[in-house]
Coordinates of all heavy atoms in Angstrom, one line a residue:
M206 N 7.5 -0.3 5.4 CA 6.9 -1.0 4.4 C 6.0 -0.2 3.5 O 5.6 -0.6 2.4 CB 6.0 -2.1 5.0 CG 6.8 -3.2 5.7 SD 8.1 -4.0 4.8 CE 7.2 -4.9 3.5
V207 N 5.7 1.0 4.0 CA 4.8 1.9 3.2 C 5.4 2.3 1.9 O 4.7 2.3 0.9 CB 4.4 3.2 4.1 CG1 3.7 4.2 3.2 CG2 3.6 2.7 5.3
P208 N 6.7 2.6 1.8 CA 7.3 2.9 0.5 C 7.1 1.8 -0.5 O 6.9 2.0 -1.7 CB 8.7 3.2 0.8 CG 8.8 3.7 2.2 CD 7.7 2.9 2.9
F209 N 7.3 0.5 -0.1 CA 7.1 -0.6 -1.0 C 5.6 -0.7 -1.4 O 5.4 -1.0 -2.6 CB 7.5 -1.9 -0.3 CG 8.9 -2.0 0.0 CD1 9.4 -1.9 1.3 CD2 9.9 -2.1 -1.0 CE1 10.8 -2.0 1.6 CE2 11.2 -2.2 -0.8 CZ 11.7 -2.1 0.5
A210 N 4.7 -0.5 -0.5 CA 3.3 -0.5 -0.9 C 3.0 0.7 -1.9 O 2.2 0.4 -2.9 CB 2.4 -0.3 0.3
L211 N 3.5 1.8 -1.7 CA 3.3 2.9 -2.7 C 3.9 2.6 -4.0 O 3.3 2.9 -5.0 CB 3.9 4.2 -2.1 CG 3.2 4.8 -0.9 CD1 4.0 6.0 -0.4 CD2 1.8 5.3 -1.3
A212 N 5.1 2.0 -4.0 CA 5.7 1.6 -5.3 C 4.8 0.5 -6.0 O 4.7 0.6 -7.2 CB 7.1 1.0 -5.0
G213 N 4.2 -0.4 -5.2 CA 3.3 -1.4 -5.8 C 2.1 -0.8 -6.4 O 1.6 -1.1 -7.5
V214 N 1.5 0.2 -5.7 CA 0.3 0.9 -6.2 C 0.7 1.7 -7.5 O -0.1 1.7 -8.4 CB -0.3 1.8 -5.1 CG1 -1.4 2.7 -5.7 CG2 -0.9 1.0 -4.0
A215 N 1.8 2.3 -7.4 CA 2.3 3.1 -8.6 C 2.5 2.2 -9.8 O 2.1 2.5 -11.0 CB 3.5 3.9 -8.3
A216 N 3.1 1.0 -9.6 CA 3.3 0.0 -10.7 C 1.9 -0.4 -11.2 O 1.8 -0.6 -12.4 CB 4.1 -1.1 -10.1
F217 N 1.0 -0.7 -10.3 CA -0.3 -1.1 -10.9 C -1.0 0.0 -11.6 O -1.8 -0.2 -12.5 CB -1.2 -1.6 -9.7 CG -1.0 -3.1 -9.4 CD1 -0.5 -3.6 -8.3 CD2 -1.4 -4.0 -10.4 CE1 -0.3 -4.9 -8.0 CE2 -1.3 -5.4 -10.2 CZ -0.8 -5.8 -9.0
A218 N -0.8 1.3 -11.1 CA -1.4 2.4 -11.8 C -0.8 2.5 -13.3 O -1.6 2.7 -14.2 CB -1.2 3.7 -11.1
V219 N 0.5 2.4 -13.4 CA 1.1 2.4 -14.7 C 0.6 1.2 -15.6 O 0.3 1.4 -16.7 CB 2.6 2.4 -14.6 CG1 3.3 2.2 -15.9 CG2 3.1 3.7 -13.9
A220 N 0.6 0.0 -15.0 CA 0.1 -1.1 -15.7 C -1.4 -0.9 -16.2 O -1.7 -1.3 -17.3 CB 0.2 -2.4 -14.8
T221 N -2.2 -0.4 -15.3 CA -3.6 -0.1 -15.7 C -3.7 0.8 -16.8 O -4.4 0.6 -17.8 CB -4.4 0.4 -14.5 OG1 -4.3 -0.5 -13.4 CG2 -5.8 0.7 -14.8
L222 N -2.9 1.9 -16.8 CA -2.9 2.9 -17.9 C -2.4 2.2 -19.2 O -3.0 2.5 -20.2 CB -2.0 4.1 -17.5 CG -1.9 5.2 -18.5 CD1 -3.3 5.8 -18.7 CD2 -0.9 6.2 -18.1
I223 N -1.3 1.5 -19.1 CA -0.8 0.9 -20.3 C -1.8 -0.1 -20.9 O -2.1 -0.2 -22.1 CB 0.5 0.2 -20.0 CG1 1.6 1.2 -19.7 CG2 0.9 -0.7 -21.2 CD1 2.9 0.7 -19.3
T224 N -2.4 -1.0 -20.0 CA -3.4 -2.0 -20.6 C -4.7 -1.3 -21.1 O -5.3 -1.8 -21.9 CB -3.7 -3.0 -19.5 OG1 -4.3 -2.4 -18.4 CG2 -2.5 -3.8 -19.1
W225 N -5.0 -0.1 -20.5 CA -6.2 0.6 -21.0 C -6.0 1.1 -22.4 O -6.8 1.1 -23.2 CB -6.5 1.7 -20.0 CG -7.8 2.5 -20.3 CD1 -9.0 2.0 -20.6 CD2 -7.8 3.9 -20.5 NE1 -9.9 3.1 -20.9 CE2 -9.1 4.2 -20.8 CE3 -6.9 4.9 -20.4 CZ2 -9.6 5.5 -21.1 CZ3 -7.3 6.2 -20.6 CH2 -8.6 6.5 -20.9
L226 N -4.7 1.6 -22.7 CA -4.4 2.3 -23.9 C -4.0 1.2 -25.0 O -4.1 1.5 -26.2 CB -3.2 3.2 -23.7 CG -3.6 4.5 -22.8 CD1 -2.3 5.3 -22.6 CD2 -4.7 5.3 -23.4
A227 N -3.5 0.1 -24.6 CA -3.0 -0.9 -25.6 C -4.1 -1.9 -25.9 O -5.1 -2.0 -25.2 CB -1.8 -1.6 -25.0
E228 N -3.9 -2.6 -26.9 CA -4.8 -3.7 -27.4 C -4.4 -5.0 -26.6 O -3.6 -5.7 -27.2 CB -4.7 -3.9 -28.9 CG -5.2 -2.7 -29.7 CD -6.8 -2.6 -29.6 OE1 -7.4 -3.6 -29.5 OE2 -7.2 -1.4 -29.6
V229 N -4.9 -5.2 -25.5 CA -4.6 -6.4 -24.7 C -5.9 -7.0 -24.2 O -7.0 -6.4 -24.3 CB -3.7 -6.0 -23.4 CG1 -2.4 -5.4 -23.8 CG2 -4.5 -5.1 -22.5
P230 N -5.8 -8.3 -23.9 CA -7.0 -9.0 -23.4 C -7.6 -8.3 -22.2 O -6.9 -7.6 -21.4 CB -6.5 -10.3 -23.0 CG -5.2 -10.6 -23.7 CD -4.7 -9.2 -23.9
D231 N -9.0 -8.3 -22.0 CA -9.7 -7.7 -21.0 C -9.2 -8.1 -19.6 O -9.2 -7.4 -18.7 CB -11.2 -7.9 -21.1 CG -11.9 -6.8 -21.8 OD1 -11.3 -5.8 -22.1 OD2 -13.1 -7.0 -22.0
L232 N -8.8 -9.4 -19.5 CA -8.4 -10.0 -18.2 C -7.2 -9.2 -17.7 O -7.1 -9.0 -16.5 CB -8.1 -11.5 -18.3 CG -7.8 -12.2 -17.1 CD1 -8.9 -12.1 -16.1 CD2 -7.4 -13.6 -17.3
W233 N -6.2 -8.8 -18.6 CA -5.1 -8.1 -18.1 C -5.4 -6.8 -17.5 O -4.9 -6.4 -16.5 CB -4.1 -7.9 -19.3 CG -3.5 -9.1 -19.8 CD1 -3.8 -10.4 -19.6 CD2 -2.4 -9.1 -20.8 NE1 -3.0 -11.2 -20.2 CE2 -2.1 -10.5 -21.0 CE3 -1.7 -8.2 -21.5 CZ2 -1.1 -10.9 -21.9 CZ3 -0.7 -8.6 -22.4 CH2 -0.5 -9.9 -22.6
F234 N -6.3 -6.0 -18.2 CA -6.8 -4.8 -17.7 C -7.5 -4.9 -16.3 O -7.3 -4.2 -15.4 CB -7.7 -4.0 -18.7 CG -8.3 -2.8 -18.2 CD1 -7.6 -1.6 -18.0 CD2 -9.7 -2.8 -17.8 CE1 -8.2 -0.5 -17.5 CE2 -10.3 -1.6 -17.3 CZ -9.5 -0.5 -17.2
Q235 N -8.4 -5.9 -16.3 CA -9.1 -6.2 -15.1 C -8.2 -6.5 -13.9 O -8.4 -6.1 -12.8 CB -10.2 -7.3 -15.3 CG -11.3 -6.8 -16.2 CD -12.2 -8.0 -16.6 OE1 -11.9 -9.1 -16.2 NE2 -13.1 -7.8 -17.4
T236 N -7.2 -7.3 -14.2 CA -6.2 -7.7 -13.1 C -5.5 -6.5 -12.6 O -5.3 -6.3 -11.4 CB -5.3 -8.8 -13.7 OG1 -6.1 -9.9 -14.1 CG2 -4.3 -9.2 -12.6
S237 N -5.0 -5.7 -13.5 CA -4.2 -4.5 -13.1 C -5.1 -3.5 -12.4 O -4.7 -2.9 -11.4 CB -3.5 -3.8 -14.3 OG -4.5 -3.4 -15.2
L238 N -6.3 -3.3 -12.8 CA -7.3 -2.5 -12.1 C -7.6 -3.0 -10.7 O -7.7 -2.2 -9.8 CB -8.5 -2.3 -12.9 CG -9.6 -1.3 -12.4 CD1 -9.0 0.1 -12.4 CD2 -10.8 -1.4 -13.3
A239 N -7.8 -4.3 -10.6 CA -8.0 -4.8 -9.3 C -6.8 -4.6 -8.4 O -7.0 -4.3 -7.2 CB -8.3 -6.3 -9.4
G240 N -5.6 -4.8 -8.9 CA -4.4 -4.6 -8.1 C -4.3 -3.1 -7.6 O -4.0 -2.9 -6.4
L241 N -4.7 -2.2 -8.5 CA -4.7 -0.8 -8.1 C -5.8 -0.5 -7.0 O -5.5 0.1 -6.0 CB -4.9 0.0 -9.4 CG -5.0 1.5 -9.1 CD1 -3.8 2.1 -8.5 CD2 -5.4 2.2 -10.4
L242 N -7.0 -1.0 -7.2 CA -8.0 -0.7 -6.3 C -7.9 -1.4 -5.0 O -8.3 -0.8 -3.9 CB -9.4 -1.1 -7.0 CG -9.8 -0.3 -8.2 CD1 -11.1 -0.8 -8.8 CD2 -9.9 1.2 -7.9
W243 N -7.3 -2.6 -4.9 CA -7.0 -3.2 -3.6 C -5.8 -2.6 -3.0 O -5.7 -2.7 -1.7 CB -6.8 -4.7 -3.8 CG -8.1 -5.5 -3.9 CD1 -8.7 -6.0 -5.0 CD2 -9.0 -5.8 -2.8 NE1 -9.8 -6.6 -4.7 CE2 -10.0 -6.5 -3.4 CE3 -8.9 -5.6 -1.5 CZ2 -11.1 -7.0 -2.5 CZ3 -9.9 -6.2 -0.7 CH2 -11.0 -6.8 -1.2
G244 N -4.9 -2.1 -3.7 CA -3.7 -1.5 -3.1 C -3.9 -0.2 -2.5 O -3.2 0.1 -1.5
I245 N -4.8 0.6 -2.9 CA -5.1 1.9 -2.3 C -5.5 1.7 -0.8 O -4.9 2.3 0.1 CB -6.0 2.7 -3.1 CG1 -5.4 3.1 -4.4 CG2 -6.5 3.9 -2.3 CD1 -6.3 3.7 -5.4
P246 N -6.6 1.0 -0.5 CA -6.9 0.8 0.9 C -5.9 0.1 1.7 O -5.7 0.3 2.9 CB -8.3 0.1 0.9 CG -8.4 -0.5 -0.5 CD -7.6 0.3 -1.4
G247 N -5.2 -0.9 1.1 CA -4.2 -1.6 1.8 C -3.0 -0.6 2.2 O -2.5 -0.7 3.3
T248 N -2.7 0.3 1.4 CA -1.7 1.2 1.7 C -2.1 2.2 2.8 O -1.3 2.5 3.7 CB -1.3 2.0 0.4 OG1 -0.8 1.1 -0.6 CG2 -0.2 3.1 0.7
L249 N -3.3 2.7 2.7 CA -3.9 3.5 3.7 C -3.9 2.8 5.1 O -3.6 3.5 6.1 CB -5.2 4.1 3.3 CG -5.3 5.0 2.1 CD1 -6.7 5.3 1.8 CD2 -4.5 6.2 2.4
T250 N -4.2 1.6 5.1 CA -4.3 0.8 6.3 C -2.8 0.7 6.9 O -2.7 0.9 8.1 CB -4.8 -0.6 6.1 OG1 -6.1 -0.5 5.6 CG2 -4.8 -1.4 7.3
M251 N -1.8 0.5 6.1 CA -0.5 0.4 6.5 C 0.0 1.8 7.1 O 0.7 1.9 8.1 CB 0.5 0.0 5.4 CG 0.3 -1.4 5.1 SD 1.3 -1.9 3.6 CE 2.9 -1.6 4.2
V252 N -0.4 2.9 6.5 CA 0.0 4.2 7.0 C -0.6 4.5 8.3 O 0.1 4.9 9.3 CB -0.5 5.3 6.0 CG1 -0.4 6.7 6.6 CG2 0.3 5.2 4.7
V253 N -1.9 4.1 8.6 CA -2.5 4.3 9.9 C -1.8 3.4 10.9 O -1.5 3.8 12.0 CB -4.0 4.1 9.8 CG1 -4.6 4.1 11.2 CG2 -4.6 5.1 8.9
H254 N -1.5 2.2 10.5 CA -0.9 1.2 11.5 C 0.5 1.7 11.9 O 0.8 1.7 13.1 CB -0.8 -0.1 10.8 CG -0.2 -1.2 11.6 ND1 1.2 -1.4 11.7 CD2 -0.7 -2.0 12.5 CE1 1.5 -2.4 12.6 NE2 0.3 -2.8 13.1
D255 N 1.3 2.2 10.9 CA 2.6 2.7 11.2 C 2.5 4.0 12.1 O 3.4 4.2 13.0 CB 3.4 3.0 10.0 CG 3.9 1.7 9.3 OD1 3.8 0.7 9.9 OD2 4.4 1.8 8.2
R256 N 1.5 4.8 11.9 CA 1.4 6.0 12.7 C 1.1 5.7 14.1 O 1.6 6.4 15.0 CB 0.2 6.9 12.1 CG 0.1 8.2 12.8 CD -1.1 9.0 12.3 NE -1.3 8.9 10.9 CZ -2.5 8.9 10.3 NH1 -3.6 8.9 11.0 NH2 -2.6 8.9 9.0
N257 N 0.4 4.7 14.4 CA 0.0 4.3 15.7 C 1.1 3.4 16.4 O 0.9 3.1 17.6 CB -1.3 3.7 15.8 CG -2.4 4.6 15.4 OD1 -2.3 5.8 15.7 ND2 -3.4 4.1 14.7
R258 N 2.0 2.9 15.7 CA 3.0 2.0 16.2 C 3.8 2.5 17.4 O 4.0 1.8 18.4 CB 4.0 1.5 15.1 CG 5.0 0.6 15.6 CD 6.0 0.2 14.6 NE 5.3 -0.7 13.6 CZ 5.7 -0.8 12.4 NH1 6.7 -0.1 11.9 NH2 5.0 -1.6 11.5
R259 N 4.2 3.7 17.3 CA 5.0 4.3 18.4 C 4.2 4.4 19.7 O 4.7 4.1 20.8 CB 5.6 5.7 18.0 CG 6.5 6.3 19.1 CD 7.1 7.6 18.7 NE 7.9 7.4 17.5 CZ 8.5 8.3 16.9 NH1 8.3 9.6 17.2 NH2 9.3 8.1 15.8
R260 N 2.9 4.8 19.6 CA 2.1 4.9 20.8 C 1.9 3.5 21.4 O 2.0 3.3 22.6 CB 0.8 5.5 20.4 CG -0.2 5.7 21.5 CD -1.6 6.2 21.1 NE -2.2 5.4 20.0 CZ -2.9 4.3 20.3 NH1 -3.0 3.8 21.5 NH2 -3.5 3.7 19.3
R261 N 1.5 2.5 20.6 CA 1.4 1.2 21.1 C 2.6 0.6 21.8 O 2.5 0.0 22.8 CB 0.9 0.2 20.0 CG -0.5 0.4 19.5 CD -1.0 -0.7 18.6 NE 0.0 -1.0 17.6 CZ 0.1 -0.5 16.4 NH1 -0.8 0.4 16.0 NH2 1.0 -0.9 15.6
R262 N 3.7 0.9 21.1 CA 5.0 0.3 21.7 C 5.3 1.0 23.0 O 5.9 0.4 23.9 CB 6.1 0.5 20.7 CG 7.4 -0.2 21.2 CD 8.3 -0.5 20.1 NE 7.8 -1.5 19.2 CZ 8.3 -1.6 17.9 NH1 9.3 -0.9 17.6 NH2 7.8 -2.5 17.1
A263 N 5.0 2.3 23.1 CA 5.3 3.0 24.4 C 4.4 2.5 25.5 O 4.8 2.5 26.7 CB 5.0 4.5 24.2
L264 N 3.2 2.0 25.2 CA 2.3 1.5 26.2 C 2.8 0.1 26.7 O 2.6 -0.2 27.9 CB 0.9 1.4 25.6 CG 0.1 2.7 25.4 CD1 -1.2 2.5 24.7 CD2 0.0 3.5 26.7
T265 N 3.3 -0.7 25.8 CA 3.6 -2.1 26.1 C 5.1 -2.2 26.6 O 5.4 -3.1 27.3 CB 3.4 -3.0 24.9 OG1 4.2 -2.6 23.8 CG2 2.0 -3.1 24.6
H266 N 6.0 -1.3 26.1 CA 7.4 -1.4 26.5 C 7.9 0.0 26.8 O 8.4 0.7 26.0 CB 8.2 -1.9 25.3 CG 7.9 -3.3 24.9 ND1 6.9 -3.6 24.0 CD2 8.4 -4.5 25.3 CE1 6.8 -4.9 23.9 NE2 7.7 -5.5 24.6
P267 N 7.6 0.5 28.0 CA 8.0 1.9 28.4 C 9.5 2.2 28.2 O 9.9 3.3 28.0 CB 7.5 2.1 29.8 CG 6.9 0.8 30.2 CD 7.0 -0.2 29.1
E268 N 10.4 1.2 28.4 CA 11.8 1.4 28.3 C 12.2 1.6 26.8 O 13.4 2.0 26.6 CB 12.5 0.3 28.9 CG 12.5 -1.1 28.1 CD 11.2 -1.9 28.3 OE1 10.4 -1.5 29.1 OE2 11.1 -2.9 27.7
F269 N 11.4 1.3 25.8 CA 11.8 1.4 24.5 C 11.8 2.9 24.0 O 10.8 3.7 24.2 CB 10.8 0.7 23.6 CG 11.1 0.7 22.1 CD1 12.1 -0.1 21.6 CD2 10.5 1.5 21.2 CE1 12.4 -0.1 20.2 CE2 10.7 1.5 19.9 CZ 11.8 0.7 19.4
T270 N 12.8 3.3 23.3 CA 12.9 4.7 22.8 C 13.3 4.6 21.3 O 14.0 3.7 20.9 CB 13.9 5.6 23.5 OG1 15.2 5.0 23.4 CG2 13.5 5.7 25.0
V271 N 12.8 5.6 20.6 CA 13.2 5.7 19.1 C 14.1 6.9 19.0 O 13.7 8.0 19.3 CB 11.9 5.8 18.3 CG1 12.2 6.0 16.8 CG2 11.0 4.6 18.5
D272 N 15.2 6.7 18.4 CA 16.2 7.7 18.2 C 16.0 8.2 16.7 O 16.6 7.6 15.8 CB 17.6 7.3 18.4 CG 17.8 6.9 19.8 OD1 17.2 7.4 20.7 OD2 18.6 5.9 20.1
A273 N 15.2 9.2 16.5 CA 14.9 9.7 15.2 C 15.1 11.2 15.1 O 15.0 12.0 16.0 CB 13.5 9.3 14.7

């Protein structure tokens, strides 16, 4: 899910840049900026969660293996 979150943050970054440069209502800029600012910590949380997933799964299901 992290690549989808990164794509969403990138989309909000582009939208923020476009709304900042264009003559659009303030609400559009504020909405895109909020999406960008909320997306960054959300993405970081997902990265940490995914990093710890293998360790948690090994503790609860010792027979589980990941073929990577």
Side-chain angles (χ1 to χ4, degrees):
M206 296 306 293
V207 173
F209 293 110
L211 288 174
V214 170
F217 271 113
V219 170
T221 301
L222 181 64
I223 290 171
T224 57
W225 181 56
L226 295 174
E228 294 289 328
V229 298
D231 264 353
L232 184 62
W233 291 10
F234 174 72
Q235 293 169 0
T236 302
S237 62
L238 184 61
L241 175 63
L242 294 178
W243 277 103
I245 292 170
T248 301
L249 293 175
T250 302
M251 289 175 60
V252 168
V253 171
H254 182 269
D255 285 352
R256 186 185 318 145
N257 294 326
R258 177 181 291 154
R259 184 177 295 173
R260 180 184 56 82
R261 285 191 317 268
R262 188 159 296 161
L264 291 174
T265 59
H266 299 85
E268 70 280 356
F269 182 79
T270 60
V271 177
D272 298 327

